[in-house]
Amino acid sequence: MAIGIIAKKIGMTRVFNEDGSVTPVTVLLAGPCPVVAVRTEEKDGYTAAQLAWEEVADRKLSKAELGHLKSAGVEGGFRRLAEIRDFADVAAGDSVTVGRFEPGTSIKVRGISQGKGFAGTIKRHNFHRGPMSHGSHNKRAPGSIGASAWPSKVIKGQKMPGRMGGKNVTQLGLKVVKVDEEKNLLLVKGSVPGHKNGFVVVVSE
């Protein structure tokens, strides 16, 4: 059974261990998250829990969104909703906090990666550059992208220049280093996707 929570990426710092070694950690402000809906195998065909996070004024939500929250007994408006698969040990109206996690728990973190803007193939796809000698016309160009006789067009899916980053990314193999229930903080070993103050979903592996 999985456990999960919605969080905000605060930034990175370091933790000094008893043996003097240093562990780089990402600080996440996580929860408390009210449970808005519960999916069951009998009714929905799968098991999951939908969590809400980041309180906002009611005027910033539609009537349908407010009604969805009210049906679960959740007071006030929330900006973020996320559904976590295989999270079964909760009921609608419950509150999920960082207390469900323990140091050493293996987790995966899902978020939107930092946008890098328009990038060429060398930066975006790790292409090799061409020769830098005098007269070269292929210093940072991508090279051949299709044939002339057949198919006489560029096949879809070619690795081309374009927008880099800004996509859903899941970072696997992370571990919880420290849990601070008073401040609702999770300290995670390593880096997680997204920019500072970005929205992420933490799920146990």
Side-chain angles (χ1 to χ4, degrees):
M1 186 191 72
I3 54 175
I5 199 166
I6 306 173
K8 180 169 75 171
K9 180 178 176 180
I10 301 298
M12 291 196 71
T13 184
R14 61 182 68 181
V15 171
F16 291 91
N17 305 315
E18 293 180 0
D19 60 359
S21 61
V22 175
T23 303
V25 295
T26 302
V27 183
L28 302 177
L29 177 64
C33 299
V35 179
V36 177
V38 176
R39 315 296 183 196
T40 60
E41 196 73 42
E42 298 78 24
K43 185 178 178 182
D44 306 287
Y46 67 100
T47 303
Q50 188 184 70
L51 307 182
W53 192 69
E54 198 174 2
E55 290 189 56
V56 293
D58 290 358
R59 61 184 171 78
K60 294 189 176 182
L61 299 179
S62 67
K63 287 184 178 179
E65 289 169 330
L66 288 171
H68 178 61
L69 293 169
K70 191 175 180 181
S71 65
V74 178
E75 294 294 330
F78 287 83
R79 189 190 303 276
R80 310 283 186 182
L81 291 178
E83 195 168 275
I84 297 169
R85 287 289 187 113
D86 300 323
F87 195 1
D89 190 23
V90 287
D94 288 354
S95 183
V96 178
T97 66
V98 294
R100 289 177 175 261
F101 293 86
E102 296 178 356
T105 304
S106 293
I107 59 171
K108 55 187 177 183
V109 179
R110 183 175 75 243
I112 297 176
S113 62
Q114 293 188 33
K116 307 290 185 181
F118 189 92
T121 53
I122 290 178
K123 181 176 180 180
R124 193 180 185 209
H125 300 297
N126 298 317
F127 278 22
H128 288 283
R129 62 170 174 77
M132 299 299 286
S133 57
H134 179 68
S136 171
H137 289 216
N138 185 26
K139 292 182 177 178
R140 292 182 71 89
S144 175
I145 57 172
S148 59
W150 184 90
S152 300
K153 63 180 179 180
V154 178
I155 298 174
K156 287 184 179 180
Q158 291 285 344
K159 292 181 177 179
M160 304 279 279
R163 287 180 67 96
M164 182 178 176
K167 296 182 178 180
N168 275 313
V169 176
T170 301
Q171 181 68 46
L172 306 174
L174 300 174
K175 280 191 188 265
V176 175
V177 174
K178 189 177 178 182
V179 178
D180 189 337
E181 289 191 57
E182 289 185 7
K183 298 180 180 178
N184 296 317
L185 295 179
L186 277 179
L187 271 60
V188 178
K189 182 179 179 181
S191 60
V192 304
H195 56 79
K196 196 173 177 182
N197 295 324
F199 158 76
V200 296
V201 178
V202 181
V203 183
S204 64
E205 289 187 319

